[in-house]
Amino acid sequence: MAPRSALRNDLVPLLWLALLRFLLHLVLNTHYGFHRDELQGLDDARHLDWGYVPYAPLTPFLGWIELHLFGTSLTGFRFFAALAQCAAMVLAGLIARELGGRRFAQILAALATMAMPFSLVMSSVLMYASIDFLWWVLIAWLVARLANGANPRLWLVIGAVFGLGLLTRYTILIGAAGVFVGVVATPLRRQLLTPWPWLGALIALLLFLPHLIWQAQHDFIYLDFIRHIHERDIRWHRTDGFWIEQLYANAGPLSLPLWFGGLVYLAVAKAMRPFRVLAWIYGVALVLFSLSRARGYYLAPAYPMLLAAGAVALEAWLTNLRSGTVLALRVSVGGVLILALAAGAAVALPIAPVNSALWRAAHKVHDTFAEQIGWPEFVQRVAAVYRSLPDSERAHTAILANNYGEAGAINLYGPALGLPPAISRTNTYWYRGYGAPPPSVVIELGNTAKDEKGSDATCVSFGRFRNSEGVDNEESAWGYEIFVCRDIPAKWPEIWGAKPRFG
């Protein structure tokens, strides 16, 4: 059989699995509502630029495409997130193929990647982490192909993927460091004597250059942003569980033997010597993320290649056993995989009714679903406050949001209720200003009574907001009230500040 025909035959079951998963996400992604991070991304998608305060420009650009294709539907806005995760599971199967795995290993690698809790969550929300996951897995497959003797010109494609990765999330630089160390430490180092790796690096730089220029024009604002966010994460102890989270949070606890076995197999098996570069990628990323006190999920995109290696190792081990034993073990592996998929789906997919026992169990693991609840109600409450103002005041009233979720929600749901666009000092909203002339009345969101006591304006509280589902999230559980502020001092440039607030 010709190699191309063999590849096609191996791809068919992987693509069918990915298609079934994609259709599942199309159905499930209609549940709940937009996440607060999606609301920011959706709003930034309406203001296309080469950069934004909290992230690089590719994810908002994908959001812009989705808005033009599907409008503001939940499923449409999450189209590329689901597609990226489905593509990643196909690539995991192809990594197993490059490592010598046959059909069993390829399908096992794809399904194990699908069962990753991180991947399942990232299939249901459009965030930069959803797209970043794909670039890491794609790079791992391309590097595995190089290690398997592919044309060195493939470095040009790797460079392009790294460029897209830099336009998505800067943590791809950690992956680049892992690739470089892995190349130097393995026979791939010979390719550094050719022009192709360096031309690939040039392509990555050229793709990244417009965003780099934007950062220079904005005083490299992302460095201020990430410093603030990192200090906050450390202060809130979000980085404390980095090592333990690698055992359960990214690939799932039931997949631990598979990916850890894959790591050992890559590191010590003679047959894996050409592919040891993949172990180096993981090891370098693990060390660098740990030293930088990163959050545990930052390393999630490095696990599909280990799951693929583990699947190949398991398949190789099974070939040395009697047929009856092999069948029993395959059934056992299938059972564990079904359990992993079921457990992952239970906590990571939007399937449970709000506030059900399953919902509460998922909420203990992550807050992704909780932050999707109550936004239309919240905007309706703000609209009621706005309509209660005299006509003479409404014409000079602004809605000041103290976080990006509030601003994005006002700008999404507010026009139908007659609300003006939100203004905010948070992230990229700060650059859009407060209007000319400045407002004389402000409806302020995302502030507590304690914080409002320090205001120079005269502010009246219209009470706290609680969503009808009774879900605790940032808007309903942090003590925020809705204030109407008048007698605002005529010092808006000072109020606005010299830099954005970061959130």
Side-chain angles (χ1 to χ4, degrees), residues 144-192:
R145 291 198 64 202
L146 280 174
N148 208 16
N151 193 312
R153 288 181 175 84
L154 200 59
W155 280 110
L156 304 181
V157 181
I158 293 174
V161 177
F162 268 119
L164 293 173
L166 286 168
L167 292 175
T168 305
R169 191 180 188 190
Y170 306 128
T171 51
I172 198 74
L173 289 170
I174 300 291
V179 170
F180 180 77
V181 173
V183 167
V184 170
T186 64
L188 280 174
R189 73 176 71 90
R190 290 191 292 269
Q191 296 195 11
L192 296 176

Side-chain angles (χ1 to χ4, degrees), residues 111-128:
L111 291 177
T113 298
M114 175 182 173
M116 290 178 60
F118 180 86
S119 177
L120 290 171
V121 170
M122 287 298 107
S123 299
S124 62
V125 285
L126 178 63
M127 300 180 186
Y128 53 72

